[in-house]
Amino acid sequence: MSEIVGAVAVPHTPHFPIAAQQDNELGRELRRLYGDVAQRVKQLRPDVIVFITADHYNNFYVTSIPIFTIGVGESATGPVDYELPQREMPIDSQLARSLQTKLVDAGFDVGQTQEFRPDHPFTIPLNFVVEDTSIPIVPVFVSAFLPPLPSAARCFEFGQAIRTALEQEPGGQRIMVLATGSFALEIGGPRMSETSHTGVPAPEWMDQILRHLEHAEWEQLLASATAEQLAEAGNAGGETLLWLTMLGVLGEPTRPDYLEAQREWGHAYGVWSNGNGGDL
């Protein structure tokens, strides 16, 4: 039987790879935050990574907007949307196809894509926190931008179904879950700041999420993550659903081993290891 060894969640802000190279306060902060997570990924020693993300208008938004879908091809290379370092990502196609089948059998209408173009939400987290480029991924897409979005409860249940399916897989693989996304973020919309094309419309919502995560109050978080609240958090506020899907894969509520926020950016960095949270 395979084992869920832990979960990681980090942001994917497009200019962070360049910013992290600078010898200034932000650059040092980014190197520390992503570096802390990368060290914990090494300790988890994953054989495969289930990658939970949302397509950023590069694959599905022209002809169809699936609520849930899984990438089942052999590999993918990106990003396609920014001039950033390219990464070839091997995909565990056999596991991906098996996972899709089990999820459909469990009552989730999960589609599949045999070809997709990875965008920056894939490559930025992987390049920062997963040094070993040979570790395969299983891409899991959750709709997080264009309403109607799946509910928080449905995403959590989807994550639980992923966990059940993965634990039924033979081979004894060590599986890590990686989610990426912000809690409160407006990109190019009416609530962006006066000095940037982005903004954090609901910092108090972000603080509420962090409190719930710190104290493993998952039921309260799910209850408060309504469609109205996610909309108030900005046009990228739906990315919170990616974290909630990840929590569902983890299973029982537990405190994180590591959780640190960048409140001015509307996101956080978190690590959970095998259901055994450590001191913050």
Side-chain angles (χ1 to χ4, degrees), residues 24-263:
N24 54 30
E25 183 177 356
L26 176 59
R28 290 187 291 271
E29 181 180 53
L30 291 172
R31 291 193 295 272
R32 176 181 62 83
L33 290 168
Y34 280 114
D36 287 346
V37 175
Q39 287 300 315
R40 287 165 170 80
V41 170
K42 288 182 179 179
Q43 294 169 6
L44 291 174
R45 297 181 289 110
D47 298 315
V48 62
I49 297 171
V50 172
F51 198 113
I52 300 172
T53 186
D55 178 55
H56 283 49
Y57 307 101
N58 291 297
N59 290 282
F60 306 123
Y61 290 94
V62 175
T63 58
S64 177
I65 307 173
I67 297 298
F68 304 120
T69 198
I70 293 177
V72 301
E74 296 293 335
S75 67
T77 301
V80 298
D81 52 350
Y82 286 91
E83 292 185 3
L84 293 168
Q86 293 288 297
R87 179 164 176 141
E88 183 176 357
M89 291 155 275
I91 296 173
D92 190 332
S93 181
Q94 181 177 350
L95 177 59
R97 292 178 183 276
S98 176
L99 178 59
Q100 186 210 6
T101 298
K102 288 184 172 66
L103 290 171
V104 171
D105 289 345
F108 290 87
D109 297 329
V110 181
Q112 67 166 253
T113 174
Q114 298 186 38
E115 295 183 6
F116 68 95
R117 304 182 303 164
D119 44 19
H120 68 280
F122 277 97
T123 60
I124 290 175
L126 288 173
N127 285 340
F128 268 122
V129 306
V130 184
E131 181 179 350
D132 187 349
T133 59
S134 69
I135 299 175
I137 66 172
V138 173
V140 177
F141 294 93
V142 177
S143 179
F145 298 117
L146 294 182
L149 302 181
S151 69
R154 186 61 172 169
C155 288
F156 186 79
E157 292 166 357
F158 182 55
Q160 289 179 310
I162 291 174
R163 179 186 182 90
T164 298
L166 292 175
E167 289 181 335
Q168 295 172 355
E169 288 294 321
Q173 292 194 101
R174 297 176 59 84
I175 301 174
M176 186 186 85
V177 187
L178 195 162
T180 180
S182 298
F183 301 141
L185 184 63
E186 180 85 358
I187 305 174
R191 291 170 293 175
M192 61 185 181
S193 72
E194 296 180 357
T195 58
S196 171
H197 73 289
T198 65
V200 181
E204 70 287 348
W205 164 239
M206 179 175 176
D207 290 339
Q208 181 178 343
I209 292 175
L210 292 169
R211 287 195 302 271
H212 290 323
L213 291 175
E214 288 169 354
H215 299 289
E217 298 170 343
W218 294 5
E219 288 187 7
Q220 295 91 323
L221 176 55
L222 289 169
S224 59
T226 62
E228 293 76 16
Q229 178 61 76
L230 297 183
E232 290 178 6
N235 56 20
E239 289 183 338
T240 301
L241 298 174
L242 308 178
W243 284 65
L244 299 183
T245 304
M246 175 201 69
L247 295 181
V249 182
L250 277 173
E252 294 298 322
T254 183
R255 295 179 64 202
D257 295 272
Y258 177 87
L259 183 65
E260 190 164 348
Q262 286 181 305
R263 285 175 171 80

